[in-house]
Amino acid sequence: MPAPQCASCHTARAALRRPRSGQALCGACFCAAFEAEVLHTVLAGRLLPPGAVVAVGASGGKDSTVLAHVLRELAPRLGISLHLVAVDEGIGGYRDAALAAVRRQAARWDLPLTVVAYADLFGGWTMDAVARSTAGSGRSRACCTFCGVLRRRALEEGARLVGATHVVTGHNADDMAETVLMNFLRGDAGRLARGGGLGSPGEGGALPRCRPLQLASQKEVVLYAHFRRLDYFSEECVYAPEAFRGHARDLLKMLEAARPSAVLDLVHSAERLALAPRRPARALCQACALLDGLNRGRPRLAIGKGRRGLDEEGPPREPQPSRPPTSEPVPDF
Ligand SMILES: Nc1ncnc2c1ncn2[C@@H]1O[C@H](COP(=O)(O)OP(=O)(O)OP(=O)(O)O)[C@@H](O)[C@H]1O
């Protein structure tokens, strides 16, 4: 049976059915619809005002590749300028190849690119050194906790370096729904309450951040990359396989099979949640608390598995001399 006609232009043959609506579209009309929806997300949420200098967190993966491409298409209408910021976490056998993809994108799209490295920002610590330091049971989970916090800080530093006024990341609806599930499963009411919405207005002096793809499904991000023939890096991080997120992802797939709207329902429920009162400011920010634990050779304390961790409050600690990760810290996992 021949493919139906595109429901939008009525001239080309449809190349896909949109996963959520079932609408049959040709590749060109699908890409135009996808871009229009991201434009709507940005305008309706007032995420990026005219004149904004936007640092795009560029990992080389499909989401940030699609985000950078879509924002480049929309930039003239939004009146914004873009700067790619890539973070080199120091993950051997993974990040170098991903960074090569970012460099190709920057050259092809004629966008400025700045690379910032954990090793330079965090007193010599790379993710490989952190992984060695936290080796033992639960190693990979700890890696993702450290990496998430440090990457957030690194992106902020990179964005400031290039004079950005806003930071955007490529998180899509599936990423957000997984995060909501993870926070529920961990009973982390504070993160649930803080994680909703399309971004943060830039509290505590931080640059405003947003996620323009937050309402786009992973399947459609992949379809957009396919029809726009985008070149991206698709391998999984070497530390990801045992991360807790994998369980949330499996659970989400089962939920979605039973209830196709489950992903967006979870995203929207998080937007409306206000479970926990705001926590008082910590003596140390998350990144500094983690680095402090690493430098003491006690990473377990920093992620909340010790007596006074990331999620516990306490009086400020005496500053410790920074210890470069040349010798193996005593693992306490
Ligand atoms: N090394 C990095 N440098 C700059 N930004 C990053 C980096 N890693 C992640 N990000 C930003 O954080 C977002 C979420 O990253 P994460 O790795 O959690 O998810 P992802 O779905 O695999 O994203 P992507 O497909 O873009 O890699 C990315 O889309 C990107 O904007």
Side-chain angles (χ1 to χ4, degrees):
M1 205 172 81
Q5 257 190 357
C6 172
S8 180
C9 66
H10 304 289
T11 49
R13 289 271 162 221
L16 71 135
R17 277 193 186 280
R18 295 196 75 174
R20 279 183 203 146
S21 63
Q23 193 185 29
L25 292 178
C26 67
C29 288
F30 164 71
C31 290
F34 185 92
E35 287 161 11
E37 286 165 12
V38 177
L39 178 65
H40 180 262
T41 301
V42 172
L43 292 176
R46 298 175 191 214
L47 302 181
L48 302 171
V53 179
V54 180
V56 183
S59 66
K62 65 179 184 326
D63 296 308
S64 51
T65 299
V66 165
L67 176 64
H69 188 274
V70 171
L71 287 183
R72 185 171 167 273
E73 295 294 310
L74 301 178
R77 290 175 71 182
L78 289 168
I80 59 174
S81 56
L82 303 177
H83 198 120
L84 302 183
V85 176
V87 178
D88 181 357
E89 301 96 339
I91 302 175
Y94 169 71
R95 188 48 80 194
D96 289 349
L99 285 175
V102 180
R103 289 199 176 91
R104 288 195 299 274
Q105 292 164 4
R108 188 164 305 144
W109 300 336
D110 199 19
L111 287 176
L113 165 66
T114 297
V115 181
V116 288
Y118 280 9
D120 299 331
L121 294 173
F122 304 130
W125 285 100
T126 61
M127 264 319 290
D128 286 338
V130 172
R132 285 194 294 277
S133 169
T134 59
S137 63
R139 182 195 78 158
S140 295
R141 280 189 207 178
C143 283
C144 292
T145 302
F146 277 93
C147 198
V149 172
L150 298 181
R151 187 191 296 141
R152 191 179 171 86
R153 166 70 82 83
L155 253 184
E156 177 83 15
E157 301 270 340
R160 287 186 183 281
L161 202 67
V162 303
T165 57
H166 291 71
V167 178
V168 295
T169 55
H171 296 89
N172 61 43
D174 295 60
D175 296 330
M176 299 311 296
E178 284 164 17
T179 302
V180 174
L181 273 181
M182 279 165 61
N183 289 336
F184 261 121
L185 294 172
R186 288 173 172 152
D188 193 335
R191 281 206 171 79
L192 268 173
R194 290 193 302 275
L198 289 158
S200 59
E203 286 156 2
L207 293 171
R209 281 180 173 248
C210 62
R211 301 175 286 260
L213 300 184
Q214 181 168 318
L215 302 179
S217 74
Q218 178 136 291
K219 284 182 194 141
E220 294 212 339
V221 169
V222 174
L223 284 169
Y224 182 90
H226 169 76
F227 285 109
R228 288 288 190 226
R229 298 178 195 279
L230 302 183
D231 159 31
Y232 62 87
F233 179 75
S234 55
E235 278 171 39
E236 189 174 56
C237 175
V238 295
Y239 297 117
E242 287 161 45
F244 188 52
R245 181 171 287 275
H247 300 294
R249 187 166 296 159
D250 293 342
L251 186 54
L252 190 63
K253 283 203 183 100
M254 286 193 291
L255 288 173
E256 208 185 359
R259 180 182 166 88
S261 65
V263 169
L264 268 193
D265 289 346
L266 276 164
V267 173
H268 290 313
S269 67
E271 284 166 14
R272 294 182 196 117
L273 279 175
L275 296 178
R278 297 199 68 78
R279 278 194 309 210
R282 291 189 189 91
L284 291 178
C285 76
Q286 285 193 341
C288 290
L290 291 182
L291 290 166
D292 184 50
L294 284 168
N295 287 327
R296 290 161 171 252
R298 308 290 303 276
R300 184 187 168 99
L301 275 182
I303 61 168
K305 297 210 185 292
R307 277 176 298 114
R308 193 177 60 196
L310 198 60
D311 288 318
E312 301 171 49
E313 305 302 330
R317 287 168 244 177
E318 289 298 314
Q320 298 292 311
S322 181
R323 187 159 64 90
T326 41
S327 61
E328 294 279 294
V330 183
D332 65 352
F333 274 93

